[in-house]
Amino acid sequence: MSSSSPTPASDESIEHAAKLLAAGKLVAVPTETVYGLGADATAADAVRAIFQAKGRPANNPLILHVASAQAALPWINVFDSSGKPIDWLLHQWELASTFWPGPLTVVVPKSPAVIDAVTAGAATVAIRVPNHPVMLALLNKCDFPIAAPSANPSNYVSPTRAQHVQSALGDKVAMILDGGPCRCGLESTIIRLRPEGVELLRPGAVSLEQLEAVFGSVTQSQATSPDPGNSDADDSTAKAMPAPGMLRKHYSPRKPMVTLDAFDPRRFPGQRFGRIAFAPLADAEASNYVWMQVLSDSGNLTEVASQLYGALRDADESLCDVIVIDTCPRNGLGRAIMDRIDRACS
Ligand code: TXA
Ligand code: MG
């Protein structure tokens, strides 16, 4: 396949994307978090092509994207073995759906309609209603959910612009639907619904504090706290994990990266340093770096999150040998930002 360049979203291009998906092709799709590598979630061959294009281990399940909580109902199972609705599950589902459309993914028992290629054989399925007008318009034109992981090769940084998809996967997709830069810039928050209460599997733009305000107490997953973020890790312990993809893995840039508070230039003799700063630096400090990118004029964390992955990619393309990056307190959106930075540094 020749390399696809981004197609600006319009009524016609969205219609065309829907046709390509219905024909079993891969289409890169915009969401408010990151770009996804989408396929018809009911077509096993198309779903398998996602794994192949990304180089993603087959035991790492995909998120089903749907247009509304209502549209998710055929794909989840809220009944017990005697056919009675499960009260705790329905209650948590209703609370979770108050965050939709939005950057929250919910892991729930799956209905038999969800094919194994999507869930990697798991009894649960991850569901999200994305909050992006182009993606919602596309979902409304499709009579199937769109299965989509982040549209990056396994183990690299997720794409937050259509051009990011083009550079690595342009020859693997039939179309890149360009919906502009992603507003959030970090992958969705993932929670699992359980009788004993909600569990946070991956921090994201919906913060732990926001979840607690709606669900009461929320457990932070022990199994996944070493990883949450990326999903593309190939790890031999994967089968034993509750969230197979959520293992220690880095959304790493190719260059080494260290946080400013752990940075000791003497450890890197003769190396050139680049800096990713959350807010503007004084000239004296800036002069220590051969390359620099400032993520926000005011240190605003929403801006920092939206610019972070683009900066990691730019740092990889820059003159520097080692990337030095700022840190922030680990609460609110800062928890997700630091989660991704920790992974990229490890
Ligand atoms: O923001 C996002 O979530 C983006 C956009 C495109 O929606 N998607 C995304 O997908 O980040 P991906 O595949 O890169 O990350 C999804 C994560 C993986 O860690 C995967 O293991 C986990 O969700 N996951 C999927 N299904 C699951 C399930 N049934 N149980 C537990 N974890 C699951
Ligand atoms: Mg991913």
Side-chain angles (χ1 to χ4, degrees), residues 36-86:
L37 182 60
D40 172 353
T42 64
D45 286 345
V47 171
R48 280 194 284 268
I50 293 178
F51 287 85
Q52 206 165 33
K54 274 184 70 96
R56 173 164 168 136
N59 64 1
N60 189 359
L62 305 178
I63 297 174
L64 277 199
H65 297 79
V66 291
S68 64
Q70 181 73 23
L73 295 179
W75 311 101
I76 70 172
N77 183 12
V78 293
F79 302 103
D80 67 16
S81 53
S82 61
K84 280 213 307 280
I86 302 169

mmCIF file of all heavy atoms in Angstrom, residues 36-86:
data_model
loop_
_atom_site.group_PDB
_atom_site.id
_atom_site.type_symbol
_atom_site.label_atom_id
_atom_site.label_comp_id
_atom_site.label_asym_id
_atom_site.label_seq_id
_atom_site.Cartn_x
_atom_site.Cartn_y
_atom_site.Cartn_z
ATOM 1 N N GLY A 36 -6.304 6.991 16.934
ATOM 2 C CA GLY A 36 -6.477 5.545 17.020
ATOM 3 C C GLY A 36 -6.271 4.897 15.664
ATOM 4 O O GLY A 36 -6.405 5.536 14.611
ATOM 5 N N LEU A 37 -5.905 3.608 15.704
ATOM 6 C CA LEU A 37 -5.772 2.814 14.484
ATOM 7 C C LEU A 37 -7.025 1.950 14.411
ATOM 8 O O LEU A 37 -7.128 0.927 15.072
ATOM 9 C CB LEU A 37 -4.506 1.952 14.583
ATOM 10 C CG LEU A 37 -4.151 1.068 13.399
ATOM 11 C CD1 LEU A 37 -3.937 1.896 12.138
ATOM 12 C CD2 LEU A 37 -2.887 0.278 13.706
ATOM 13 N N GLY A 38 -8.010 2.402 13.619
ATOM 14 C CA GLY A 38 -9.353 1.845 13.715
ATOM 15 C C GLY A 38 -9.654 0.769 12.696
ATOM 16 O O GLY A 38 -9.138 0.777 11.579
ATOM 17 N N ALA A 39 -10.534 -0.152 13.117
ATOM 18 C CA ALA A 39 -11.078 -1.179 12.222
ATOM 19 C C ALA A 39 -12.485 -1.519 12.689
ATOM 20 O O ALA A 39 -12.846 -1.255 13.839
ATOM 21 C CB ALA A 39 -10.202 -2.429 12.244
ATOM 22 N N ASP A 40 -13.246 -2.138 11.791
ATOM 23 C CA ASP A 40 -14.563 -2.692 12.142
ATOM 24 C C ASP A 40 -14.350 -3.751 13.216
ATOM 25 O O ASP A 40 -13.726 -4.786 12.968
ATOM 26 C CB ASP A 40 -15.179 -3.288 10.869
ATOM 27 C CG ASP A 40 -16.471 -4.067 11.140
ATOM 28 O OD1 ASP A 40 -16.841 -4.268 12.320
ATOM 29 O OD2 ASP A 40 -17.092 -4.490 10.144
ATOM 30 N N ALA A 41 -14.891 -3.494 14.415
ATOM 31 C CA ALA A 41 -14.648 -4.384 15.550
ATOM 32 C C ALA A 41 -15.340 -5.726 15.407
ATOM 33 O O ALA A 41 -15.089 -6.638 16.202
ATOM 34 C CB ALA A 41 -15.098 -3.710 16.847
ATOM 35 N N THR A 42 -16.194 -5.878 14.404
ATOM 36 C CA THR A 42 -16.885 -7.157 14.223
ATOM 37 C C THR A 42 -16.214 -8.013 13.144
ATOM 38 O O THR A 42 -16.667 -9.122 12.865
ATOM 39 C CB THR A 42 -18.367 -6.940 13.836
ATOM 40 O OG1 THR A 42 -18.416 -6.288 12.560
ATOM 41 C CG2 THR A 42 -19.088 -6.086 14.869
ATOM 42 N N ALA A 43 -15.167 -7.489 12.546
ATOM 43 C CA ALA A 43 -14.502 -8.192 11.429
ATOM 44 C C ALA A 43 -13.147 -8.712 11.891
ATOM 45 O O ALA A 43 -12.197 -7.938 12.054
ATOM 46 C CB ALA A 43 -14.339 -7.245 10.238
ATOM 47 N N ALA A 44 -13.055 -10.023 12.109
ATOM 48 C CA ALA A 44 -11.845 -10.601 12.711
ATOM 49 C C ALA A 44 -10.589 -10.288 11.896
ATOM 50 O O ALA A 44 -9.544 -9.955 12.467
ATOM 51 C CB ALA A 44 -12.013 -12.110 12.887
ATOM 52 N N ASP A 45 -10.680 -10.368 10.571
ATOM 53 C CA ASP A 45 -9.476 -10.118 9.767
ATOM 54 C C ASP A 45 -9.010 -8.680 9.900
ATOM 55 O O ASP A 45 -7.810 -8.405 9.990
ATOM 56 C CB ASP A 45 -9.737 -10.433 8.289
ATOM 57 C CG ASP A 45 -9.797 -11.935 8.043
ATOM 58 O OD1 ASP A 45 -9.364 -12.698 8.944
ATOM 59 O OD2 ASP A 45 -10.287 -12.335 6.964
ATOM 60 N N ALA A 46 -9.975 -7.764 9.917
ATOM 61 C CA ALA A 46 -9.623 -6.340 10.048
ATOM 62 C C ALA A 46 -8.987 -6.091 11.413
ATOM 63 O O ALA A 46 -7.993 -5.357 11.531
ATOM 64 C CB ALA A 46 -10.873 -5.478 9.863
ATOM 65 N N VAL A 47 -9.549 -6.714 12.449
ATOM 66 C CA VAL A 47 -8.992 -6.528 13.795
ATOM 67 C C VAL A 47 -7.586 -7.113 13.864
ATOM 68 O O VAL A 47 -6.661 -6.509 14.417
ATOM 69 C CB VAL A 47 -9.919 -7.156 14.858
ATOM 70 C CG1 VAL A 47 -9.263 -7.158 16.228
ATOM 71 C CG2 VAL A 47 -11.257 -6.408 14.898
ATOM 72 N N ARG A 48 -7.405 -8.273 13.256
ATOM 73 C CA ARG A 48 -6.058 -8.877 13.262
ATOM 74 C C ARG A 48 -5.057 -7.985 12.525
ATOM 75 O O ARG A 48 -3.885 -7.922 12.897
ATOM 76 C CB ARG A 48 -6.093 -10.283 12.664
ATOM 77 C CG ARG A 48 -6.588 -11.319 13.693
ATOM 78 C CD ARG A 48 -6.305 -12.734 13.213
ATOM 79 N NE ARG A 48 -7.257 -13.116 12.189
ATOM 80 C CZ ARG A 48 -8.413 -13.758 12.426
ATOM 81 N NH1 ARG A 48 -8.730 -14.092 13.654
ATOM 82 N NH2 ARG A 48 -9.228 -14.053 11.443
ATOM 83 N N ALA A 49 -5.539 -7.298 11.496
ATOM 84 C CA ALA A 49 -4.636 -6.403 10.754
ATOM 85 C C ALA A 49 -4.137 -5.255 11.636
ATOM 86 O O ALA A 49 -3.031 -4.746 11.441
ATOM 87 C CB ALA A 49 -5.344 -5.854 9.511
ATOM 88 N N ILE A 50 -4.927 -4.849 12.613
ATOM 89 C CA ILE A 50 -4.468 -3.809 13.556
ATOM 90 C C ILE A 50 -3.221 -4.300 14.291
ATOM 91 O O ILE A 50 -2.215 -3.589 14.396
ATOM 92 C CB ILE A 50 -5.554 -3.481 14.617
ATOM 93 C CG1 ILE A 50 -6.776 -2.817 13.983
ATOM 94 C CG2 ILE A 50 -4.967 -2.602 15.719
ATOM 95 C CD1 ILE A 50 -7.895 -2.525 14.990
ATOM 96 N N PHE A 51 -3.307 -5.520 14.810
ATOM 97 C CA PHE A 51 -2.185 -6.064 15.586
ATOM 98 C C PHE A 51 -0.934 -6.152 14.718
ATOM 99 O O PHE A 51 0.172 -5.849 15.149
ATOM 100 C CB PHE A 51 -2.552 -7.442 16.148
ATOM 101 C CG PHE A 51 -3.536 -7.380 17.288
ATOM 102 C CD1 PHE A 51 -4.908 -7.318 17.067
ATOM 103 C CD2 PHE A 51 -3.088 -7.368 18.606
ATOM 104 C CE1 PHE A 51 -5.799 -7.262 18.119
ATOM 105 C CE2 PHE A 51 -3.973 -7.317 19.663
ATOM 106 C CZ PHE A 51 -5.340 -7.260 19.424
ATOM 107 N N GLN A 52 -1.167 -6.570 13.472
ATOM 108 C CA GLN A 52 -0.036 -6.727 12.571
ATOM 109 C C GLN A 52 0.600 -5.377 12.239
ATOM 110 O O GLN A 52 1.814 -5.243 12.270
ATOM 111 C CB GLN A 52 -0.522 -7.402 11.301
ATOM 112 C CG GLN A 52 0.577 -8.143 10.613
ATOM 113 C CD GLN A 52 -0.003 -9.090 9.589
ATOM 114 O OE1 GLN A 52 -1.040 -8.799 8.987
ATOM 115 N NE2 GLN A 52 0.661 -10.213 9.381
ATOM 116 N N ALA A 53 -0.244 -4.380 11.963
ATOM 117 C CA ALA A 53 0.284 -3.065 11.587
ATOM 118 C C ALA A 53 1.102 -2.455 12.728
ATOM 119 O O ALA A 53 2.110 -1.800 12.501
ATOM 120 C CB ALA A 53 -0.864 -2.130 11.201
ATOM 121 N N LYS A 54 0.652 -2.670 13.952
ATOM 122 C CA LYS A 54 1.338 -2.083 15.110
ATOM 123 C C LYS A 54 2.503 -2.912 15.601
ATOM 124 O O LYS A 54 3.319 -2.432 16.394
ATOM 125 C CB LYS A 54 0.356 -1.977 16.293
ATOM 126 C CG LYS A 54 -0.489 -0.739 16.327
ATOM 127 C CD LYS A 54 -1.333 -0.719 17.592
ATOM 128 C CE LYS A 54 -0.564 -0.487 18.874
ATOM 129 N NZ LYS A 54 -0.533 0.879 19.347
ATOM 130 N N GLY A 55 2.539 -4.191 15.205
ATOM 131 C CA GLY A 55 3.498 -5.094 15.816
ATOM 132 C C GLY A 55 3.120 -5.332 17.262
ATOM 133 O O GLY A 55 3.972 -5.415 18.149
ATOM 134 N N ARG A 56 1.811 -5.438 17.512
ATOM 135 C CA ARG A 56 1.324 -5.554 18.896
ATOM 136 C C ARG A 56 1.072 -7.014 19.246
ATOM 137 O O ARG A 56 0.494 -7.749 18.445
ATOM 138 C CB ARG A 56 0.026 -4.774 19.012
ATOM 139 C CG ARG A 56 -0.713 -4.901 20.325
ATOM 140 C CD ARG A 56 -1.720 -3.787 20.374
ATOM 141 N NE ARG A 56 -2.701 -3.877 21.408
ATOM 142 C CZ ARG A 56 -3.044 -2.811 22.154
ATOM 143 N NH1 ARG A 56 -2.445 -1.661 21.987
ATOM 144 N NH2 ARG A 56 -3.996 -2.932 23.042
ATOM 145 N N PRO A 57 1.489 -7.447 20.443
ATOM 146 C CA PRO A 57 1.221 -8.837 20.832
ATOM 147 C C PRO A 57 -0.279 -9.121 20.835
ATOM 148 O O PRO A 57 -1.080 -8.296 21.285
ATOM 149 C CB PRO A 57 1.780 -8.935 22.257
ATOM 150 C CG PRO A 57 2.606 -7.724 22.469
ATOM 151 C CD PRO A 57 2.194 -6.690 21.475
ATOM 152 N N ALA A 58 -0.654 -10.296 20.347
ATOM 153 C CA ALA A 58 -2.077 -10.629 20.191
ATOM 154 C C ALA A 58 -2.798 -10.774 21.525
ATOM 155 O O ALA A 58 -4.025 -10.781 21.575
ATOM 156 C CB ALA A 58 -2.214 -11.918 19.383
ATOM 157 N N ASN A 59 -2.060 -10.857 22.639
ATOM 158 C CA ASN A 59 -2.720 -11.020 23.938
ATOM 159 C C ASN A 59 -3.061 -9.680 24.586
ATOM 160 O O ASN A 59 -3.456 -9.628 25.749
ATOM 161 C CB ASN A 59 -1.856 -11.862 24.889
ATOM 162 C CG ASN A 59 -0.533 -11.198 25.230
ATOM 163 O OD1 ASN A 59 -0.254 -10.086 24.782
ATOM 164 N ND2 ASN A 59 0.284 -11.865 26.015
ATOM 165 N N ASN A 60 -2.915 -8.603 23.842
ATOM 166 C CA ASN A 60 -3.186 -7.274 24.405
ATOM 167 C C ASN A 60 -4.467 -6.712 23.789
ATOM 168 O O ASN A 60 -4.468 -6.278 22.639
ATOM 169 C CB ASN A 60 -1.996 -6.363 24.115
ATOM 170 C CG ASN A 60 -2.100 -5.056 24.856
ATOM 171 O OD1 ASN A 60 -3.072 -4.825 25.584
ATOM 172 N ND2 ASN A 60 -1.120 -4.202 24.673
ATOM 173 N N PRO A 61 -5.578 -6.718 24.547
ATOM 174 C CA PRO A 61 -6.887 -6.413 23.949
ATOM 175 C C PRO A 61 -7.052 -4.947 23.523
ATOM 176 O O PRO A 61 -6.301 -4.073 23.953
ATOM 177 C CB PRO A 61 -7.861 -6.748 25.077
ATOM 178 C CG PRO A 61 -7.057 -6.659 26.339
ATOM 179 C CD PRO A 61 -5.659 -7.032 25.974
ATOM 180 N N LEU A 62 -8.066 -4.718 22.692
ATOM 181 C CA LEU A 62 -8.324 -3.393 22.119
ATOM 182 C C LEU A 62 -9.557 -2.752 22.768
ATOM 183 O O LEU A 62 -10.419 -3.441 23.308
ATOM 184 C CB LEU A 62 -8.591 -3.521 20.619
ATOM 185 C CG LEU A 62 -7.524 -4.230 19.794
ATOM 186 C CD1 LEU A 62 -7.975 -4.302 18.332
ATOM 187 C CD2 LEU A 62 -6.188 -3.514 19.909
ATOM 188 N N ILE A 63 -9.641 -1.441 22.641
ATOM 189 C CA ILE A 63 -10.819 -0.703 23.110
ATOM 190 C C ILE A 63 -11.871 -0.668 21.991
ATOM 191 O O ILE A 63 -11.541 -0.428 20.829
ATOM 192 C CB ILE A 63 -10.420 0.739 23.503
ATOM 193 C CG1 ILE A 63 -9.423 0.713 24.676
ATOM 194 C CG2 ILE A 63 -11.657 1.566 23.850
ATOM 195 C CD1 ILE A 63 -8.847 2.085 25.041
ATOM 196 N N LEU A 64 -13.135 -0.890 22.361
ATOM 197 C CA LEU A 64 -14.258 -0.710 21.430
ATOM 198 C C LEU A 64 -14.765 0.710 21.573
ATOM 199 O O LEU A 64 -15.168 1.124 22.664
ATOM 200 C CB LEU A 64 -15.425 -1.626 21.799
ATOM 201 C CG LEU A 64 -15.446 -3.060 21.355
ATOM 202 C CD1 LEU A 64 -16.868 -3.605 21.439
ATOM 203 C CD2 LEU A 64 -14.928 -3.194 19.944
ATOM 204 N N HIS A 65 -14.789 1.443 20.474
ATOM 205 C CA HIS A 65 -15.306 2.815 20.492
ATOM 206 C C HIS A 65 -16.723 2.812 19.935
ATOM 207 O O HIS A 65 -16.968 2.235 18.870
ATOM 208 C CB HIS A 65 -14.411 3.725 19.646
ATOM 209 C CG HIS A 65 -13.004 3.832 20.181
ATOM 210 N ND1 HIS A 65 -12.067 2.839 19.976
ATOM 211 C CD2 HIS A 65 -12.389 4.782 20.908
ATOM 212 C CE1 HIS A 65 -10.933 3.187 20.567
ATOM 213 N NE2 HIS A 65 -11.098 4.362 21.136
ATOM 214 N N VAL A 66 -17.626 3.432 20.675
ATOM 215 C CA VAL A 66 -19.036 3.495 20.276
ATOM 216 C C VAL A 66 -19.523 4.936 20.398
ATOM 217 O O VAL A 66 -18.876 5.766 21.054
ATOM 218 C CB VAL A 66 -19.918 2.553 21.135
ATOM 219 C CG1 VAL A 66 -19.621 1.094 20.836
ATOM 220 C CG2 VAL A 66 -19.727 2.842 22.625
ATOM 221 N N ALA A 67 -20.690 5.220 19.778
ATOM 222 C CA ALA A 67 -21.166 6.604 19.702
ATOM 223 C C ALA A 67 -21.878 7.072 20.972
ATOM 224 O O ALA A 67 -22.039 8.272 21.190
ATOM 225 C CB ALA A 67 -22.095 6.764 18.497
ATOM 226 N N SER A 68 -22.313 6.134 21.816
ATOM 227 C CA SER A 68 -23.043 6.517 23.028
ATOM 228 C C SER A 68 -23.066 5.331 23.978
ATOM 229 O O SER A 68 -22.806 4.191 23.560
ATOM 230 C CB SER A 68 -24.484 6.893 22.678
ATOM 231 O OG SER A 68 -25.156 5.749 22.172
ATOM 232 N N ALA A 69 -23.412 5.586 25.227
ATOM 233 C CA ALA A 69 -23.544 4.485 26.193
ATOM 234 C C ALA A 69 -24.608 3.498 25.714
ATOM 235 O O ALA A 69 -24.456 2.284 25.844
ATOM 236 C CB ALA A 69 -23.899 5.044 27.571
ATOM 237 N N GLN A 70 -25.648 4.034 25.128
ATOM 238 C CA GLN A 70 -26.732 3.190 24.587
ATOM 239 C C GLN A 70 -26.192 2.237 23.511
ATOM 240 O O GLN A 70 -26.517 1.041 23.495
ATOM 241 C CB GLN A 70 -27.804 4.131 24.014
ATOM 242 C CG GLN A 70 -29.017 3.456 23.433
ATOM 243 C CD GLN A 70 -29.911 2.873 24.530
ATOM 244 O OE1 GLN A 70 -29.863 3.321 25.671
ATOM 245 N NE2 GLN A 70 -30.696 1.861 24.175
ATOM 246 N N ALA A 71 -25.345 2.783 22.637
ATOM 247 C CA ALA A 71 -24.798 1.975 21.543
ATOM 248 C C ALA A 71 -23.862 0.884 22.056
ATOM 249 O O ALA A 71 -23.534 -0.053 21.329
ATOM 250 C CB ALA A 71 -24.061 2.877 20.549
ATOM 251 N N ALA A 72 -23.413 1.014 23.312
ATOM 252 C CA ALA A 72 -22.511 -0.012 23.876
ATOM 253 C C ALA A 72 -23.268 -1.238 24.350
ATOM 254 O O ALA A 72 -22.679 -2.314 24.510
ATOM 255 C CB ALA A 72 -21.720 0.587 25.043
ATOM 256 N N LEU A 73 -24.573 -1.098 24.585
ATOM 257 C CA LEU A 73 -25.323 -2.168 25.269
ATOM 258 C C LEU A 73 -25.233 -3.542 24.603
ATOM 259 O O LEU A 73 -25.116 -4.555 25.300
ATOM 260 C CB LEU A 73 -26.786 -1.745 25.494
ATOM 261 C CG LEU A 73 -26.931 -0.546 26.459
ATOM 262 C CD1 LEU A 73 -28.398 -0.160 26.627
ATOM 263 C CD2 LEU A 73 -26.273 -0.829 27.814
ATOM 264 N N PRO A 74 -25.262 -3.637 23.262
ATOM 265 C CA PRO A 74 -25.150 -4.977 22.666
ATOM 266 C C PRO A 74 -23.807 -5.661 22.931
ATOM 267 O O PRO A 74 -23.685 -6.871 22.713
ATOM 268 C CB PRO A 74 -25.305 -4.717 21.160
ATOM 269 C CG PRO A 74 -25.897 -3.356 21.043
ATOM 270 C CD PRO A 74 -25.492 -2.593 22.263
ATOM 271 N N TRP A 75 -22.810 -4.908 23.373
ATOM 272 C CA TRP A 75 -21.445 -5.439 23.468
ATOM 273 C C TRP A 75 -21.039 -5.746 24.906
ATOM 274 O O TRP A 75 -19.954 -6.252 25.141
ATOM 275 C CB TRP A 75 -20.459 -4.437 22.828
ATOM 276 C CG TRP A 75 -20.955 -4.012 21.485
ATOM 277 C CD1 TRP A 75 -21.597 -2.847 21.181
ATOM 278 C CD2 TRP A 75 -20.951 -4.784 20.289
ATOM 279 N NE1 TRP A 75 -21.968 -2.838 19.860
ATOM 280 C CE2 TRP A 75 -21.584 -4.019 19.288
ATOM 281 C CE3 TRP A 75 -20.455 -6.057 19.954
ATOM 282 C CZ2 TRP A 75 -21.745 -4.480 17.983
ATOM 283 C CZ3 TRP A 75 -20.614 -6.511 18.661
ATOM 284 C CH2 TRP A 75 -21.254 -5.726 17.684
ATOM 285 N N ILE A 76 -21.900 -5.427 25.852
ATOM 286 C CA ILE A 76 -21.577 -5.700 27.256
ATOM 287 C C ILE A 76 -22.600 -6.697 27.809
ATOM 288 O O ILE A 76 -23.652 -6.933 27.205
ATOM 289 C CB ILE A 76 -21.564 -4.408 28.109
ATOM 290 C CG1 ILE A 76 -22.979 -3.830 28.289
ATOM 291 C CG2 ILE A 76 -20.652 -3.371 27.472
ATOM 292 C CD1 ILE A 76 -23.034 -2.685 29.280
ATOM 293 N N ASN A 77 -22.273 -7.270 28.958
ATOM 294 C CA ASN A 77 -23.195 -8.217 29.577
ATOM 295 C C ASN A 77 -23.443 -7.800 31.022
ATOM 296 O O ASN A 77 -22.542 -7.864 31.853
ATOM 297 C CB ASN A 77 -22.604 -9.630 29.538
ATOM 298 C CG ASN A 77 -23.582 -10.631 30.116
ATOM 299 O OD1 ASN A 77 -24.752 -10.312 30.327
ATOM 300 N ND2 ASN A 77 -23.106 -11.830 30.388
ATOM 301 N N VAL A 78 -24.658 -7.368 31.285
ATOM 302 C CA VAL A 78 -24.983 -6.897 32.634
ATOM 303 C C VAL A 78 -25.924 -7.876 33.346
ATOM 304 O O VAL A 78 -26.557 -7.517 34.331
ATOM 305 C CB VAL A 78 -25.609 -5.484 32.597
ATOM 306 C CG1 VAL A 78 -24.592 -4.459 32.124
ATOM 307 C CG2 VAL A 78 -26.837 -5.462 31.706
ATOM 308 N N PHE A 79 -25.988 -9.117 32.838
ATOM 309 C CA PHE A 79 -26.890 -10.118 33.424
ATOM 310 C C PHE A 79 -26.103 -11.254 34.081
ATOM 311 O O PHE A 79 -25.022 -11.616 33.608
ATOM 312 C CB PHE A 79 -27.810 -10.706 32.346
ATOM 313 C CG PHE A 79 -28.621 -9.649 31.666
ATOM 314 C CD1 PHE A 79 -28.270 -9.214 30.394
ATOM 315 C CD2 PHE A 79 -29.701 -9.051 32.304
ATOM 316 C CE1 PHE A 79 -28.996 -8.219 29.756
ATOM 317 C CE2 PHE A 79 -30.432 -8.058 31.669
ATOM 318 C CZ PHE A 79 -30.083 -7.633 30.392
ATOM 319 N N ASP A 80 -26.661 -11.829 35.116
ATOM 320 C CA ASP A 80 -26.018 -13.002 35.716
ATOM 321 C C ASP A 80 -26.464 -14.263 34.962
ATOM 322 O O ASP A 80 -27.225 -14.175 33.981
ATOM 323 C CB ASP A 80 -26.285 -13.078 37.232
ATOM 324 C CG ASP A 80 -27.758 -13.340 37.546
ATOM 325 O OD1 ASP A 80 -28.506 -13.761 36.638
ATOM 326 O OD2 ASP A 80 -28.152 -13.100 38.697
ATOM 327 N N SER A 81 -26.021 -15.433 35.433
ATOM 328 C CA SER A 81 -26.270 -16.665 34.653
ATOM 329 C C SER A 81 -27.750 -17.025 34.600
ATOM 330 O O SER A 81 -28.193 -17.735 33.702
ATOM 331 C CB SER A 81 -25.445 -17.822 35.227
ATOM 332 O OG SER A 81 -25.701 -17.919 36.614
ATOM 333 N N SER A 82 -28.534 -16.480 35.537
ATOM 334 C CA SER A 82 -29.973 -16.766 35.456
ATOM 335 C C SER A 82 -30.733 -15.672 34.703
ATOM 336 O O SER A 82 -31.964 -15.649 34.701
ATOM 337 C CB SER A 82 -30.546 -16.960 36.869
ATOM 338 O OG SER A 82 -30.370 -15.773 37.606
ATOM 339 N N GLY A 83 -29.967 -14.753 34.082
ATOM 340 C CA GLY A 83 -30.611 -13.749 33.245
ATOM 341 C C GLY A 83 -31.103 -12.520 34.008
ATOM 342 O O GLY A 83 -31.756 -11.649 33.434
ATOM 343 N N LYS A 84 -30.758 -12.443 35.291
ATOM 344 C CA LYS A 84 -31.169 -11.265 36.076
ATOM 345 C C LYS A 84 -30.128 -10.159 35.946
ATOM 346 O O LYS A 84 -28.925 -10.431 35.966
ATOM 347 C CB LYS A 84 -31.263 -11.647 37.573
ATOM 348 C CG LYS A 84 -32.547 -12.377 37.928
ATOM 349 C CD LYS A 84 -33.022 -12.056 39.350
ATOM 350 C CE LYS A 84 -31.980 -12.253 40.435
ATOM 351 N NZ LYS A 84 -31.809 -13.654 40.855
ATOM 352 N N PRO A 85 -30.573 -8.896 35.819
ATOM 353 C CA PRO A 85 -29.603 -7.796 35.763
ATOM 354 C C PRO A 85 -28.754 -7.752 37.042
ATOM 355 O O PRO A 85 -29.274 -7.992 38.124
ATOM 356 C CB PRO A 85 -30.474 -6.543 35.664
ATOM 357 C CG PRO A 85 -31.851 -7.009 35.343
ATOM 358 C CD PRO A 85 -31.963 -8.432 35.768
ATOM 359 N N ILE A 86 -27.476 -7.475 36.884
ATOM 360 C CA ILE A 86 -26.577 -7.393 38.033
ATOM 361 C C ILE A 86 -26.583 -5.943 38.535
ATOM 362 O O ILE A 86 -26.098 -5.036 37.850
ATOM 363 C CB ILE A 86 -25.150 -7.820 37.629
ATOM 364 C CG1 ILE A 86 -25.183 -9.245 37.062
ATOM 365 C CG2 ILE A 86 -24.183 -7.710 38.800
ATOM 366 C CD1 ILE A 86 -23.899 -9.696 36.398
#
